[in-house]
Amino acid sequence: MNRRQFLCASAASFVCVGNLSAATYDLVIKGGRVIDPSVGLDAVRDVAIVAGKIAAVETDIRGDAADTIDARGKIVAPGLIDIHTHAARVAEGARICLQDGVTGWVDGGSARADNIDQIAAAARAAPQIGRVLVNISRTGNAPDGELMDINRANVGLARGAIARHRDMVIGVKARLTHDIAGTNDLEGLRRAQEAAAPFGLPVMIHMGQSFSPMRSILALLKRGDIVTHMYAPAPNGILDDDGRLFPDVAAARRRGVIFDLGNGGNRHLKWDVVERATRQGFWPDTLSTDWTANSRENPSVIDFPNVMSKFIMLGMPLAQVIACATVNAARLFPAFDDRGTLNIGAPADVAIMELREGTFEFVDNYKGMRTGHQRLFPIAAVLAGKRAPPRA
Ligand SMILES: [Zn+2]
């Protein structure tokens, strides 16, 4: 479609008369390897954008463009969606991760009843789409352990926070690690479900090193709920003492519970757990970083493309790695229904990355190193059809 056809098609109620603009397209991304798992595409294509939307994905798009990006030798993917970040915690967070190609994010629990207005405002002010999960504890991620006193998990206050920002809060978060929740992990999770239920929202749990076993925790999760930090080591991870995947974990996935990477920096990711689980076929549904504004200094995270690259090293096909960071993530939340795709008419959010060959060290949360031979690097991001400011 050219500009005129596209604008006419997308504004059917308006009478389309000539003289729309001199250029046929606002932006054309030329000659990249377009990997869009939402439509099963992996081929060299041009991507044309009009009025902030994808207008065409074809070989050799002709016609004038107001702006052109030469993407030859690069990967052109739907904008990345990171479902476990803390991008709303500081004002500049959203802008920093946009430079890494993250055109959509979920802040996983920086918000709580006591600060929901501030976090929702930060999400609203973000250049890209940002949404938040509200921590079931009114004090949120607290150094003294936000569920040690179960009275902080106040269902009424959490529901009030959701109701006040119904457009921005898309789920509830509960952190269940022993030094956060003590013996209250199951009760904290029950209250998170109670808070989410009237709104039909998912709950995301932060698993690993909990008091209760995974079997008891998983029993409280419903279809669409999300387990983050899925490769956290024992006690009470997804593997038994002999390193075998618990049958309850596979059963939870079969009934629609989502397993998310949640890379993080501390106690959430250990190579031997990742390797044992993936050897048994237990791969992530979604990749995510547990990103903060300091993540570039954290060798385990650096940026989302670095975290994605760990799974290239582990043998996940590249298109699947990109699916885990785009369309799979978008499917979890209605707010992201039109994201994670380069389909015609979708918002023109695009991540341009380079897959470099070389020797790269990948770090878990325990200073464990693995060496890979390919790594994705963020090159440019396009947000609503416009180039995002480049990384400094
Ligand atoms: Zn987190």
Side-chain angles (χ1 to χ4, degrees), residues 213-221 227 248-249 252 255 257 259:
M214 276 307 283
R215 176 171 18 91
S216 313
I217 292 169
L218 291 169
L220 297 176
L221 297 183
V227 176
D248 308 76
V249 173
R255 65 184 170 80
V257 173
F259 287 83

Side-chain angles (χ1 to χ4, degrees), residues 84 86 108 173 290:
H84 185 169
H86 295 280
K173 178 84 182 282
D290 199 1

Side-chain angles (χ1 to χ4, degrees), residues 69 82 158 207 211 284 294 308 321 364 381 383:
I69 295 176
D82 191 343
M207 65 156 282
F211 172 75
N294 300 321
M308 293 162 67
V321 169
D364 66 8
L383 182 66

Side-chain angles (χ1 to χ4, degrees), residues 148-187:
M148 289 294 187
D149 172 7
I150 194 63
N151 292 323
R152 293 195 205 167
N154 185 308
V155 172
L157 286 176
R159 283 181 182 166
I162 298 167
R164 202 156 64 250
H165 297 282
R166 192 67 193 85
D167 55 333
M168 301 310 281
V169 181
I170 59 171
V172 178
K173 178 84 182 282
R175 300 203 306 161
L176 306 182
T177 297
H178 186 246
D179 62 6
I180 294 169
T183 57
N184 294 324
D185 49 4
L186 298 180
E187 181 57 20

Side-chain angles (χ1 to χ4, degrees), residues 164-362:
R164 202 156 64 250
H165 297 282
R166 192 67 193 85
D167 55 333
M168 301 310 281
V169 181
I170 59 171
V172 178
K173 178 84 182 282
R175 300 203 306 161
L176 306 182
T177 297
H178 186 246
D179 62 6
I180 294 169
T183 57
N184 294 324
D185 49 4
L186 298 180
E187 181 57 20
L189 175 51
R190 270 185 214 107
R191 293 187 188 193
Q193 294 289 13
E194 217 182 312
F199 306 95
L201 293 180
V203 169
M204 177 189 276
I205 62 157
H206 156 140
M207 65 156 282
Q209 302 98 29
S210 55
F211 172 75
S212 302
M214 276 307 283
R215 176 171 18 91
S216 313
I217 292 169
L218 291 169
L220 297 176
L221 297 183
K222 63 186 184 294
R223 176 184 304 275
D225 285 345
I226 301 159
V227 176
T228 193
H229 309 314
M230 63 185 283
Y231 297 124
N236 292 324
I238 60 173
L239 305 178
D240 68 17
D241 292 344
D242 298 320
R244 284 177 307 224
L245 189 75
F246 281 117
D248 308 76
V249 173
R253 167 169 278 175
R254 283 200 303 276
R255 65 184 170 80
V257 173
I258 305 298
F259 287 83
D260 172 63
L261 178 66
N263 189 107
N266 188 21
R267 298 188 302 168
H268 301 321
L269 184 74
K270 199 160 191 293
W271 283 130
D272 69 324
V273 178
V274 183
E275 287 158 354
R276 281 166 187 242
T278 55
R279 274 203 293 272
Q280 294 168 75
F282 203 73
W283 296 89
D285 296 300
T286 50
L287 296 173
S288 70
T289 56
D290 199 1
W291 191 91
T292 69
N294 300 321
S295 284
R296 277 189 199 160
E297 283 76 56
N298 178 343
S300 188
V301 180
I302 305 176
D303 53 36
F304 199 5
N306 179 62
V307 169
M308 293 162 67
S309 303
K310 295 177 179 183
F311 285 82
I312 302 174
M313 174 191 71
L314 291 161
M316 188 187 263
L318 178 59
Q320 185 63 26
V321 169
I322 290 175
C324 286
T326 58
V327 66
N328 292 7
R331 281 181 185 143
L332 302 186
F333 301 101
F336 290 84
D337 270 355
D338 58 353
R339 312 283 167 155
T341 178
L342 299 175
N343 225 329
I344 309 300
D349 294 350
V350 186
I352 302 173
M353 296 177 282
E354 186 171 351
L355 184 64
R356 291 187 196 149
E357 310 281 331
T359 300
F360 303 102
E361 298 284 7
F362 296 106

Side-chain angles (χ1 to χ4, degrees), residues 89-123:
R89 203 179 268 170
V90 294
E92 69 272 23
R95 282 177 195 283
I96 298 173
C97 64
L98 177 59
Q99 297 168 358
D100 302 335
V102 176
T103 61
W105 47 260
V106 178
D107 183 302
S110 305
R112 63 238 190 205
D114 290 356
N115 75 347
I116 185 65
D117 291 348
Q118 174 202 331
I119 298 291

